Amino acid sequence: MNFWESKSLNEMSDSEWESLCDGCGKCCLHSFIDSDYEDDADGFTALRPGETLVFTNISCEYLDDQTCGCKDYINRLTNVPTCVKLHKDNIEQAYFMPQSCAYRRILEGRGLPSWHPLRHNGSRDKMEQLGMTVKGRVINETNANFDQFEDYVVDWAEKDLD
């Protein structure tokens, strides 16, 4: 039995935890909460009824859109203080991640998808073939026109296959 099938997220070792990340780059996209409310929720505990998480194809300036990795991973939290680093102490924030995120899927009891690199000896070929990464689909935030933010809204970032 695979570790992600036999252990909860809290029981996983650091290396097991890190290996769950498929490296899709979707968490590096600018997103926002579309809300019917006048007030601002904290945005990290849960979505309220009438709120939807919306993704854009605008990426963090540090995202390499070909490798889908951070250009300065070690310093990402310093470079981008709002960068979300999921860990066991804040896993409730996983709802803020895309539907296809392994951490979110496991937290919700959906397990790893068939295309995940852990199911393919670490190969990302299957996930790239199925369009599960941001590769070649994003615009760097340094080149985006934030006055027309709504023009960058995409639905592919929420795509989840199984």
Side-chain angles (χ1 to χ4, degrees):
M1 182 174 282
N2 298 307
F3 74 87
W4 61 86
E5 296 168 324
S6 62
K7 294 182 178 182
S8 72
L9 289 168
N10 284 327
E11 295 170 326
M12 291 181 190
S13 69
D14 290 344
S15 62
E16 290 169 336
W17 178 274
E18 288 296 321
S19 71
L20 290 178
C21 178
D22 58 37
C24 70
K26 292 178 184 178
C27 61
C28 299
L29 298 176
H30 284 264
S31 61
F32 62 93
I33 296 173
D34 186 15
S35 179
D36 294 338
Y37 296 90
E38 299 281 333
D39 65 328
D40 291 329
D42 66 16
F44 289 106
T45 306
L47 291 174
R48 300 178 290 184
E51 292 182 327
T52 307
L53 184 61
V54 179
F55 286 87
T56 72
N57 67 338
I58 302 171
S59 73
C60 170
E61 70 177 293
Y62 294 98
L63 178 72
D64 180 325
D65 73 335
Q66 292 305 300
T67 66
C68 303
C70 183
K71 295 175 187 175
D72 192 7
Y73 186 78
I74 292 173
N75 297 308
R76 72 192 184 284
L77 300 174
T78 301
N79 294 337
V80 183
T82 58
C83 181
V84 176
K85 178 183 178 358
L86 286 181
H87 49 80
K88 296 171 186 176
D89 295 335
N90 72 351
I91 193 59
E92 72 278 357
Q93 292 181 19
Y95 88 90
F96 199 77
M97 305 303 273
Q99 293 282 333
S100 60
C101 174
Y103 300 102
R104 180 172 176 176
R105 289 179 59 103
I106 290 173
L107 184 67
E108 294 173 350
R110 295 185 288 133
L112 286 187
S114 61
W115 49 263
H116 195 282
L118 284 174
R119 295 191 182 274
H120 299 276
N121 297 318
S123 172
R124 294 171 29 120
D125 291 345
K126 186 72 170 173
M127 68 183 286
E128 287 182 3
Q129 290 169 3
L130 294 171
M132 297 307 294
T133 74
V134 302
K135 186 175 183 176
R137 302 169 104 174
V138 297
I139 182 170
N140 191 289
E141 68 186 3
T142 59
N143 299 318
N145 178 356
F146 282 90
D147 290 337
Q148 298 183 351
F149 196 73
E150 66 279 354
D151 292 345
Y152 300 99
V153 171
V154 295
D155 59 4
W156 57 259
E158 272 296 295
K159 180 180 177 184
D160 195 9
L161 297 178
D162 53 25

